[in-house]
Amino acid sequence: MIKSIDDYNNHYKSSVENPKKYWKEYANNFIWKKYPNKVLAWNFNEPDVKWFEDGKLNITENIFERNENNKDDIAIIWEPNEPDEKNKIFTYDQLFKEVCSFSNVLKKMGVKKGDRVIIYLPMIPEAAISMLACARIGAVHSVVFAGFSAKSLSDRINDCSAKVVITSDGNFRGSKVVDVKGVVDDALKSSQCVENVLTIKRTGSDVSMERGRDVWYHNQKNLVDDYCPPEEMHSEDLLFILYTSGSTGKPKGVVHTCAGYMLYTQFTFENVFQYSKGDTYWCTADVGWITGHSYIVYGPLLKGAKTIMFEGVPTYPDASRFWKIVDKYNVNQFYTAPTAIRALQSFGKQYLEGSSLKSLKVIGSVGEPINEEAWNWYNDNIGKNNCPIVDTWWQTETGGIMISPLPNIIDCKPTYATLPLPGIQPILLDNEGNEILENNIEGNLCIKYPWPSILRTTYGDHKRCKETYFSTFKGYYFTGDGAKRDDNGFYRILGRVDDVINVSGHRIGTAEVEDAINQNIEVIESAVVGFPHEIKGQGIFGFVIIKDSSEKIDYFNSIRETVNKHIGPIAKPDQILIVPGLPKTRSGKIMRRILRKIASDEFDNFGDISTLLNPEVVEEIITNYKTLNN
Ligand code: PRX
């Protein structure tokens, strides 16, 4: 573990001067079924990246068998939605048995190495257990956030031809009981590949079970053994697929493979959180996102850490819930998103009263740029000016944290993710692809050299992976983010430079939302942009052209409902403006930068609009906007 700035400098230097040696040494920490001799083969043109190609392993063997001496240590503490419901605590030994039983149930259902399994579950222990069970038997999991609609779920099921869906009867979320199984039933009306739905009882809600297809997990669990041998996996076999939004088209399945992901999540977890044995760590993300994969499940469990999973929301029963949980378990490392920080800040300091938060040593932020005000509030009120804030920049595609302070080793600076971790070689490029050598200039953030958990492909469509990440700037991985570097070499992430909106730390593609809006029968065409939002970071603004109608229609709610149905509540536009037309170039492309400005309350400096086919529409849109906001 890196313990000082000299250590960091030495690690960084060796990781850049001799990356193969650096990562090969780190690989010695793991159990291999076959020790790898080839460390790395790569080219960023195809792209084709292989780490430890000739090695064989199983990631769960590195969680359970490798940590066997610590089998009585706590692995997962599960905190339920209701504060007075009993929590569940699993030692490594207990978790291992749960994972093995789950593995055996999957095997009994005919799931084999390489089969895809969709996990559509709320934050219950089985979410982590089922992921690990897939990994144990070599099946490829694809977790879908349980807030996505039936349509989004079936798109993902079909894209990866999943054989099994794992779900629950329902979900307790704040004061609501959410139907989960019903969404799966709906999704399966347009998916033919799924053979079985394995259902976990959580809420006890009355659900329909289709004979021959749907199976209750608790019935099956009693019929199987609680030991399952680990499947031998090649380093580059698929571990999981996780769908994420981009600038164009439908969400793509980002593919991560076994060995590189394993190394890098453990490495980043231990260094970024400076986790010591006995510490209690809590990441508030949902396992449906990459943060949950890497820093609730894999990273902490590989390290043998004690990790908390929380079923509920930060504001239930009230806005003191997070802080009460921190005190209840004496949380030492706390990792959350700026949106949650801003939302809790807006409720006022009275919700902090009665929580000492004195166990905290490190607090973290992830998912979106953290504004200075939120950073200061977090620092003053949660960290009590005594805990380093690790502002961690990374992505679904990077698998693990790329740029972050190391607590008490690298200084924290509000709004800066600071320095790259060992093995990460960032570069800033201008729009023509020239390296920006001067400091304090904004550029496109790219990475020069592969790190172990870089995405390998987008499932079923390698060309798309190449076009999205490796074609804009030849020879580099392009992140889609803008960034600048200060005189200390610290990086500040400025947000997406493409058509992706970051709403409450969730990535949403404008094209996806437009597609959904256009499904509304009243809509002719739409354009979606992000705009600054006090709590969510960015909100979604839809400019919509509608059909002539004599009826009085509540377009706002009707369009939001359409989006809810096609994607899910997280993508519902915050604002909708009915417009007579959209500013388009002669080639038919919507000039979004004009719409972005208008949605941000700016009505001039639109730049060169000489290529606009219909410049008059801009004034009309501004007039409508001003009317809406008055
Ligand atoms: O724009 C960056 C932003 O979130 C994007 C990645 O989103 P996703 O793949 O969903 O993963 C989120 C969790 C890792 C990035 O392209 N982002 C992530 N972390 C930060 C950030 N922006 C600024 N600061 C961060 N710390």
Side-chain angles (χ1 to χ4, degrees):
M1 210 150 109
I2 299 168
K3 281 286 167 205
S4 65
I5 188 68
D6 289 344
D7 254 6
Y8 166 78
N9 288 330
N10 291 335
H11 271 258
Y12 193 77
K13 193 161 174 273
S14 358
S15 77
V16 171
E17 284 175 356
N18 198 341
K20 292 185 186 173
K21 180 162 175 275
Y22 185 80
W23 290 113
K24 181 150 191 184
E25 268 170 30
Y26 194 70
N28 290 331
N29 292 308
F30 296 85
I31 302 179
W32 296 88
K33 292 277 194 197
K34 178 184 175 298
Y35 186 77
N37 289 312
K38 297 185 190 163
V39 179
L40 171 67
W42 71 289
N43 96 55
F44 271 179
N45 292 323
E46 291 307 325
D48 183 15
V49 179
K50 295 192 179 83
W51 281 95
F52 310 107
E53 198 182 340
D54 59 339
K56 288 185 188 170
L57 75 155
N58 185 292
I59 193 168
T60 66
E61 193 171 20
N62 280 283
I63 291 175
F64 298 113
E65 282 90 339
R66 184 170 59 128
N67 291 320
E68 209 158 41
N69 293 341
N70 305 328
K71 67 184 172 49
D72 295 323
D73 288 356
I74 293 172
I76 292 180
I77 299 176
W78 175 75
E79 170 72 10
N81 182 56
E82 289 295 335
D84 47 15
E85 184 182 340
K86 200 170 157 17
N87 61 5
K88 286 187 185 165
I89 296 180
F90 300 83
T91 63
Y92 273 84
D93 192 41
Q94 289 163 336
L95 184 66
F96 185 30
K97 293 195 168 99
E98 293 286 339
V99 168
C100 285
S101 300
F102 211 111
S103 305
N104 286 329
V105 169
L106 289 174
K107 272 186 165 175
K108 226 178 110 198
M109 293 171 93
V111 178
K112 298 197 177 57
K113 179 176 173 177
D115 286 344
R116 275 80 55 214
V117 173
I118 291 272
I119 300 175
Y120 186 75
L121 280 176
M123 284 289 287
I124 55 177
E126 288 80 1
I129 292 166
S130 58
M131 287 163 75
L132 296 169
C134 289
R136 186 82 181 167
I137 64 172
V140 180
H141 60 71
S142 185
V143 184
V144 177
F145 173 60
F148 276 121
S149 67
K151 172 78 175 67
S152 295
L153 177 60
S154 76
D155 283 349
R156 287 155 172 79
I157 291 170
N158 294 339
D159 188 75
C160 70
S161 313
K163 189 171 191 178
V164 166
V165 175
I166 300 169
T167 191
S168 69
D169 52 354
N171 178 6
F172 292 122
R173 205 170 155 72
S175 54
K176 295 187 213 142
V177 183
V178 185
D179 181 20
V180 178
K181 174 70 166 56
V183 179
V184 173
D185 292 341
D186 254 9
L188 292 187
K189 287 181 193 148
S190 38
S191 297
Q192 307 311 320
C193 47
V194 172
E195 292 171 14
N196 290 109
V197 177
L198 188 55
T199 311
I200 290 144
K201 207 180 210 51
R202 167 64 185 126
T203 56
S205 310
D206 201 10
V207 294
S208 73
M209 298 291 280
E210 190 178 299
R211 190 183 278 272
R213 187 194 72 182
D214 301 352
V215 180
W216 283 109
Y217 177 65
H218 57 267
N219 291 339
Q220 298 302 310
K221 189 181 170 188
N222 298 328
L223 307 175
V224 295
D225 197 46
D226 66 2
Y227 176 73
C228 171
E231 184 74 35
E232 203 170 276
M233 305 295 285
H234 287 279
S235 294
E236 287 297 339
D237 281 340
L238 270 61
L239 176 64
F240 67 84
I241 305 168
L242 186 57
Y243 286 85
T244 191
S245 296
S247 337
T248 54
K250 289 195 169 164
K252 44 193 176 299
V254 167
V255 167
H256 285 289
T257 56
C258 295
Y261 180 83
M262 171 178 80
L263 259 77
Y264 198 69
T265 50
Q266 179 182 312
F267 175 82
T268 48
F269 173 75
E270 62 190 16
N271 285 305
V272 172
F273 296 101
Q274 292 283 302
Y275 184 91
S276 317
K277 190 170 161 58
D279 282 351
T280 304
Y281 160 88
W282 180 23
C283 165
T284 69
D286 190 287
V287 288
W289 311 113
I290 191 69
T291 308
H293 283 59
S294 302
Y295 299 110
I296 294 178
V297 181
Y298 286 111
L301 295 177
L302 283 160
K303 180 70 183 167
K306 194 193 298 176
T307 173
I308 297 180
M309 270 182 92
F310 173 44
E311 182 182 38
V313 295
T315 49
Y316 181 80
D318 63 41
S320 67
R321 187 69 191 276
F322 269 10
W323 319 129
K324 289 205 167 119
I325 298 176
V326 168
D327 274 13
K328 177 172 177 184
Y329 297 111
N330 288 316
V331 171
N332 304 110
Q333 292 89 1
F334 175 73
Y335 192 28
T336 197
T339 291
I341 299 168
R342 287 189 295 262
L344 293 174
Q345 177 184 4
S346 75
F347 279 89
K349 283 192 194 155
Q350 65 273 29
Y351 289 100
L352 289 161
E353 282 163 18
S355 298
S356 85
L357 306 179
K358 65 177 190 296
S359 54
L360 290 174
K361 296 197 282 197
V362 176
I363 55 179
S365 169
V366 60
E368 48 177 320
I370 178 165
N371 50 311
E372 196 147 355
E373 196 197 340
W375 196 98
N376 286 327
W377 186 86
Y378 198 31
N379 188 35
D380 295 345
N381 296 286
I382 308 306
K384 315 273 187 204
N385 291 299
N386 207 16
C387 296
I389 297 182
V390 287
D391 177 358
T392 61
W393 171 81
W394 59 295
Q395 311 177 293
T396 305
E397 295 85 345
T398 69
I401 297 168
M402 304 284 279
I403 304 183
S404 169
L406 299 182
N408 302 314
I409 296 171
I410 294 169
D411 288 343
C412 302
K413 177 173 175 183
T415 75
Y416 280 75
T418 76
L419 294 178
L421 296 194
I424 307 307
Q425 302 188 34
I427 180 169
L428 294 177
L429 301 176
D430 66 18
N431 288 342
E432 281 66 54
N434 306 307
E435 179 167 7
I436 300 175
L437 293 165
E438 312 89 277
N439 294 327
N440 305 308
I441 296 193
E442 181 174 352
N444 297 293
L445 179 61
C446 295
I447 314 286
K448 286 193 233 184
Y449 195 89
W451 60 100
S453 63
I454 184 174
L455 88 159
R456 301 302 198 264
T457 186
T458 46
Y459 191 77
D461 193 352
H462 193 62
K463 195 164 151 253
R464 192 161 176 212
C465 172
K466 178 175 173 164
E467 278 166 9
T468 311
Y469 307 104
F470 298 92
S471 299
T472 319
F473 301 105
K474 282 265 169 312
Y476 299 102
Y477 166 78
F478 176 41
T479 65
D481 280 320
K484 63 182 183 182
R485 198 176 39 224
D486 74 2
D487 296 330
N488 295 318
F490 281 16
Y491 285 86
R492 176 177 184 173
I493 311 299
L494 299 162
R496 303 289 305 192
V497 293
D498 54 9
D499 288 325
V500 169
I501 316 182
N502 195 327
V503 183
S504 304
H506 305 317
R507 255 163 85 164
I508 296 173
T510 50
E512 246 182 290
V513 184
E514 287 163 6
D515 267 0
I517 293 179
N518 297 348
Q519 306 290 324
N520 186 301
I521 51 162
E522 302 299 332
V523 171
I524 297 176
E525 199 184 356
S526 63
V528 161
V529 295
F531 72 101
H533 188 287
E534 230 171 84
I535 304 286
K536 299 177 174 183
Q538 279 192 298
I540 301 179
F541 199 117
F543 294 84
V544 182
I545 309 174
I546 46 163
K547 292 178 189 158
D548 268 341
S549 168
S550 49
E551 282 170 60
K552 204 165 161 37
I553 297 171
D554 176 358
Y555 292 110
F556 181 72
N557 284 314
S558 159
I559 290 171
R560 276 165 56 92
E561 193 35 49
T562 309
V563 176
N564 186 29
K565 194 165 147 243
H566 284 270
I567 306 178
I570 55 170
K572 285 203 272 190
D574 301 275
Q575 295 229 42
I576 286 168
L577 186 69
I578 307 299
V579 292
L582 294 166
K584 285 193 181 166
T585 61
R586 282 176 225 289
S587 57
K589 249 188 109 189
I590 296 168
M591 223 185 243
R592 280 165 203 284
R593 64 162 200 271
I594 297 180
L595 300 176
R596 256 184 239 123
K597 284 227 161 189
I598 298 175
S600 311
D601 259 344
E602 289 174 44
F603 308 117
D604 43 27
N605 297 327
F606 290 132
D608 179 11
I609 55 167
S610 60
T611 54
L612 272 190
L613 192 64
N614 50 351
E616 70 291 346
V617 85
V618 176
E619 274 313 312
E620 294 170 359
I621 296 176
I622 293 175
T623 309
N624 287 11
Y625 177 87
K626 287 183 175 164
T627 316
L628 179 78
N629 284 286
N630 275 334

